[in-house]
Amino acid sequence: MNIKDNWLKLADGNQMPQEGFGLYKVDGQETMTNTIRDAYKAGYRLFDTAQLYGNEAAVGTAFKNLQIPRDQLFLTTKVAEDNQGYDQTIKSVQESLKKLQTDYVDLLLVHWPIERSFFETWRALEELKRAGLAKSIGVSNYQMIHLQYLATKADEMPVVDQIELHPLLTQKPLLKFNHDHRIITQAWSPLGRGAVLGEPVLKEIGTAHGKSPAQVILRWHLQNGVSFIPKSVHTARIQQNADIYDFALSPDEMHQIDALNNYQRTGREPELTYEYDHQY
Ligand code: A2P
């Protein structure tokens, strides 16, 4: 197996690469184009952006300049809190598509749950899927309580929940809930924004396999069955992060990594974001 052939089946029948590429904090046209070129060459096909990142236009221009065929790409974007609500969501996604220079995204996510327009925003996503502007729809930063609440009114449920997930925040109960409800969990900040890379246990395990701590973490995500979207703007790291398909972690090594969990978030607490209606 390699990064290019490794796809997961979604509950709506579509497929999604298990390993993708995160574009958060990839800024500037030249960096964007070089980064996407390196990632595509390394085999990444899923590219993850968001209205909030302010780089959708640069992403669209990069794909155009690189002449990558649209059907070779799996594109994700996310609706920002300020654009939530039925009409604003529809309008903002139409604008996102213009910036991305495409007719559809493969995956459209609600970026954060917020109380103000919780059901209306989801209704807009269902409509955008029906209209073909999004092939699949999902959410991000939803906890069990948000998914259960959404289920009380939704016509169809999210097929992906993208959450902060790494060895310092393992979120096992949510992973089980998502799995039981046929929702694919996708890890953002799969490397904990670099914070976890210095952990001695990861170095030890990496040395045993001739791999770096980052590769050990990504392999842990892979074996957990979740999707994950590492980000780097460095060619060697982009390639390294795709080179995790020729070794396996033992059950004991998986447990050692699980044991690093200390509930440490780098991002906001989803329930508070829901209550405050924005990332506080
Ligand atoms: P850079 O872009 O300078 O390479 P996450 O995906 O968890 O948000 O983590 C991304 C952070 O980890 C970025 O700061 C990125 O920096 C860094 N990073 C990505 N891949 C590696 C790697 N293989 N080794 C070390 N640091 C990495």
Side-chain angles (χ1 to χ4, degrees):
M1 202 208 291
N2 60 44
I3 183 171
K4 234 163 80 181
D5 306 324
N6 181 24
W7 293 67
L8 297 173
K9 185 125 197 229
L10 303 175
D12 61 12
N14 293 330
Q15 293 209 323
M16 177 179 80
Q18 185 172 2
E19 180 172 6
F21 196 86
L23 293 166
Y24 178 54
K25 294 211 166 144
V26 181
D27 295 318
Q29 190 60 61
E30 196 184 338
T31 306
M32 182 64 79
T33 304
N34 291 339
T35 301
I36 291 181
R37 177 192 292 121
D38 286 347
Y40 190 78
K41 261 195 213 154
Y44 296 85
R45 292 296 177 266
L46 186 165
F47 291 89
D48 177 283
T49 183
Q51 293 171 349
L52 213 64
Y53 302 168
N55 62 10
E56 287 172 311
V59 174
T61 302
F63 288 135
K64 195 175 176 206
N65 291 347
L66 295 166
Q67 299 183 323
I68 300 176
R70 178 66 183 88
D71 62 2
Q72 293 301 303
L73 291 171
F74 186 104
L75 260 182
T76 303
T77 198
K78 315 184 193 80
V79 178
E81 292 83 274
D82 281 356
N83 292 331
Q84 286 206 35
Y86 186 83
D87 291 338
Q88 296 94 310
T89 295
I90 303 262
K91 196 164 153 262
S92 76
V93 171
Q94 287 165 342
E95 282 164 14
S96 288
L97 293 176
K98 260 190 222 146
K99 289 180 185 162
L100 289 164
Q101 304 190 39
T102 185
D103 299 330
Y104 66 94
V105 285
D106 296 277
L107 180 61
L108 179 65
L109 304 178
V110 182
H111 206 148
W112 286 86
I114 58 169
E115 198 267 340
R116 175 171 52 81
S117 26
F118 187 74
F119 292 109
E120 288 302 281
T121 301
W122 186 250
R123 199 164 63 79
L125 261 66
E126 289 173 332
E127 178 52 35
L128 287 161
K129 178 168 181 268
R130 272 192 288 272
L133 277 62
K135 300 283 183 207
S136 295
I137 52 175
V139 293
S140 187
N141 301 301
Y142 278 43
Q143 295 184 307
M144 275 181 254
I145 187 84
H146 307 117
L147 291 164
Q148 285 167 326
Y149 191 39
L150 190 63
T152 63
K153 287 202 183 163
D155 283 342
E156 53 182 293
M157 282 298 281
V159 295
V160 170
D161 185 14
Q162 186 186 111
I163 57 169
E164 180 177 352
L165 181 66
H166 45 72
L168 301 181
L169 184 70
T170 56
Q171 307 232 44
K172 292 284 177 195
L174 182 52
L175 260 57
K176 182 175 184 314
F177 177 92
N178 283 345
H179 181 262
D180 290 348
H181 292 82
R182 301 181 67 219
I183 298 169
I184 297 283
T185 302
Q186 188 170 56
W188 67 257
S189 253
L191 301 171
R193 300 223 175 114
V196 69
L197 292 170
E199 289 289 340
V201 68
L202 299 173
K203 274 192 195 148
E204 262 167 49
I205 296 173
T207 304
H209 293 279
K211 295 284 176 186
S212 71
Q215 288 172 310
V216 169
I217 297 172
L218 297 176
R219 183 74 204 187
W220 171 79
H221 285 296
L222 183 85
Q223 290 182 211
N224 279 332
V226 301
S227 174
F228 48 103
I229 49 166
K231 168 262 172 187
S232 177
V233 291
H234 296 101
T235 311
R237 288 178 177 175
I238 291 170
Q239 289 167 349
Q240 187 192 109
N241 294 346
D243 180 21
I244 57 165
Y245 296 86
D246 60 353
F247 76 113
L249 299 170
S250 67
D252 180 52
E253 288 169 330
M254 292 292 286
H255 290 315
Q256 286 183 55
I257 301 169
D258 289 341
L260 292 172
N261 183 42
N262 64 3
Y263 311 94
Q264 192 177 314
R265 287 186 184 277
T266 68
R268 300 303 183 201
E269 161 63 44
E271 179 54 20
L272 288 180
T273 305
Y274 174 84
E275 288 171 15
Y276 291 138
D277 278 329
H278 60 86
Q279 287 184 67
Y280 52 96

